[in-house]
Amino acid sequence: MIIFAIETSCDETAVAVVRDGREVLSSELFSQADMHALYGGVVPEIASRNHAAHIGRLSELALKNAGIEKSEIDAVAVTCAPGLIGALLVGVNFAKGLAMALNVPLIPVHHLRGHIAANYIAYPDLEPPFLSLVISGGNSLIADVRGYTDISIIGRSRDDAAGECFDKTARVLGLGYPGGPVLEKLASDGDDSLFSLPRPVIEGFAYDMSFSGLKTAMVNIVHNAEQKGEKLDTASLAASFTRTISDILVPRVMAAAKEFGHDKISVTGGVAANSRIRADFTKAAEKDGCTLLIPPLSLCGDNAAMIGSQAYYEHRSGADAGFELDARATMEVSEGFQAIDMY
Ligand code: KG4
């Protein structure tokens, strides 16, 4: 089954062609990061306009690079939630038009289910069950993946996402957007034990996380130093910050794997690109005898191939949508699109 997949939930316009959920025939991406960097973060209106400007061109390119004709497309898949509503709507309406014109099914996909599905492309023999940590710019969650479409969240950030914390920290340090890659580079020369930073615990919710206190601590450290005219060891601050994020994530994920009986653990989302976090997970998985799955960088950030992969399984479970399909800014991972009562 050949699925034409579209992703426009944030600031990446992405289109891919995926066969049978596992084989990527093409995957095209236009990142708007440079445009949003001017403003220190994603500007929703600019994101929507750029999706509209680039989605047609990328679709042509995806078809050409996949080496297929439009008539060979068996279904159109699109990220419908969660995300920036205006940005999602561009993808959803483009997908509706295409599915209608080609007279093929329209498959709605939850963005975070897509991040989990990145593993099916990276590891073609992988099948659920497994435990999945998704750490992106907008979400941090631990999911119990019992089946391709049977997924429940067992831990999540109560406030900011890990990626947002990277982005805001980089902003207060004047390092631009997105913050993750630049902080990673800066941290490589730092001492990760120089700054003691908060690692909050949420009583009674062993797998929930909180990053807003860490973000505030970073802002305060930078502002205090500025007010006192002191020079900060920013490399050590970045290293201590990254270690703290890792110290919040790794023990929770390993404990959740034990409790829920998983010996396969996946880490996806943009923050999974971080080499320190990858190394800490690698060590912990080795110690506990677990298999660690971390997709390559190209599949960790937003892309449409992961949407095309998840769509295959959503379609098999009967989750096709009608043309009344709408986008949603928020939506639980465990919800199905069939259950949406839009009006
Ligand atoms: O998954 P993603 O591409 O988009 C969302 O769905 O949010 O994640 C983007 C996030 C940003 O917050 C970015 O700063 C972070 O991933 N990120 C990183 C690294 N590369 C990207 N965070 C830490 N270290 C990195 N190397």
Side-chain angles (χ1 to χ4, degrees):
M1 178 182 199
I2 293 185
I3 295 180
F4 187 90
I6 294 163
E7 154 66 42
T8 61
S9 65
C10 190
D11 62 343
E12 255 108 24
T13 320
V15 181
V17 179
V18 182
R19 181 184 280 137
D20 297 337
R22 302 272 176 165
E23 190 191 349
V24 181
L25 303 184
S26 67
S27 183
E28 310 304 327
L29 186 95
F30 170 70
S31 173
Q32 307 173 12
D34 288 351
M35 298 167 192
H36 299 285
L38 275 176
Y39 306 95
V42 178
V43 182
E45 172 73 12
I46 293 176
S48 309
R49 285 175 184 275
N50 276 287
H51 289 315
H54 294 279
I55 196 165
R57 167 182 79 76
L58 286 177
S59 295
E60 295 286 350
L61 196 62
L63 276 180
K64 184 168 158 251
N65 289 343
I68 62 160
E69 300 296 326
K70 280 194 202 82
S71 57
E72 293 175 78
I73 295 173
D74 296 308
V76 176
V78 63
T79 305
C80 297
L84 300 172
I85 194 69
L88 286 165
L89 280 168
V90 175
V92 167
N93 286 307
F94 189 89
K96 278 190 204 178
L98 187 60
M100 197 178 276
L102 298 175
N103 196 24
V104 296
L106 175 66
I107 312 169
V109 177
H110 190 289
H111 180 72
L112 297 170
R113 287 190 183 205
H115 274 301
I116 294 170
N119 291 287
Y120 304 136
I121 300 169
Y123 304 96
D125 297 327
L126 174 69
E127 286 178 23
F130 57 92
L131 190 84
S132 183
L133 171 70
V134 180
I135 32 176
S136 67
N139 292 276
S140 298
L141 51 88
I142 303 171
D144 179 17
V145 186
R146 292 181 298 268
Y148 290 105
T149 57
D150 180 9
I151 301 166
S152 49
I153 303 305
I154 55 177
R156 67 173 79 223
S157 173
R158 291 293 184 99
D159 36 59
D160 299 328
E164 188 183 337
C165 203
F166 270 97
D167 295 336
K168 295 284 157 57
T169 296
R171 183 152 87 181
V172 76
L173 284 167
L175 299 173
Y177 171 85
V182 62
L183 280 173
E184 172 167 0
K185 206 160 160 235
L186 184 63
S188 62
D189 293 330
D191 171 0
D192 69 5
S193 60
L194 203 65
F195 293 86
S196 169
L197 297 164
R199 293 159 171 74
V201 170
I202 295 154
E203 221 181 300
F205 296 88
Y207 307 123
D208 278 359
M209 305 157 253
S210 166
F211 295 102
S212 69
L214 174 60
K215 183 179 79 180
T216 307
M218 297 301 287
V219 170
N220 287 343
I221 289 170
V222 175
H223 286 172
N224 281 341
E226 277 169 8
Q227 280 158 9
K228 291 180 187 159
E230 288 171 2
K231 192 166 159 29
L232 263 181
D233 176 352
T234 50
S236 295
L237 184 61
S240 304
F241 166 79
T242 311
R243 175 187 173 170
T244 305
I245 298 256
S246 192
D247 286 351
I248 293 171
L249 297 171
V250 178
R252 280 173 174 75
V253 169
M254 300 317 293
K258 227 172 253 170
E259 183 181 335
F260 287 80
H262 291 295
D263 60 2
K264 287 178 279 182
I265 296 171
S266 93
V267 183
T268 58
V271 181
N274 189 277
S275 56
R276 168 69 195 256
I277 294 171
R278 283 172 174 249
D280 288 352
F281 269 112
T282 305
K283 259 186 260 158
E286 248 171 51
K287 187 167 153 276
D288 288 5
C290 291
T291 303
L292 182 66
L293 312 162
I294 306 186
L297 298 189
S298 59
L299 286 167
C300 273
D302 286 353
N303 66 87
M306 67 186 195
I307 302 302
S309 173
Q310 182 62 23
Y312 177 71
Y313 299 104
E314 298 290 345
H315 176 74
R316 283 203 329 191
S317 75
D320 296 352
F323 290 117
E324 73 284 1
L325 178 70
D326 205 351
R328 292 173 64 181
T330 58
M331 182 178 175
E332 289 295 321
V333 168
S334 51
E335 274 182 72
F337 281 92
Q338 308 94 313
I340 299 173
D341 180 10
M342 220 78 67
Y343 303 104

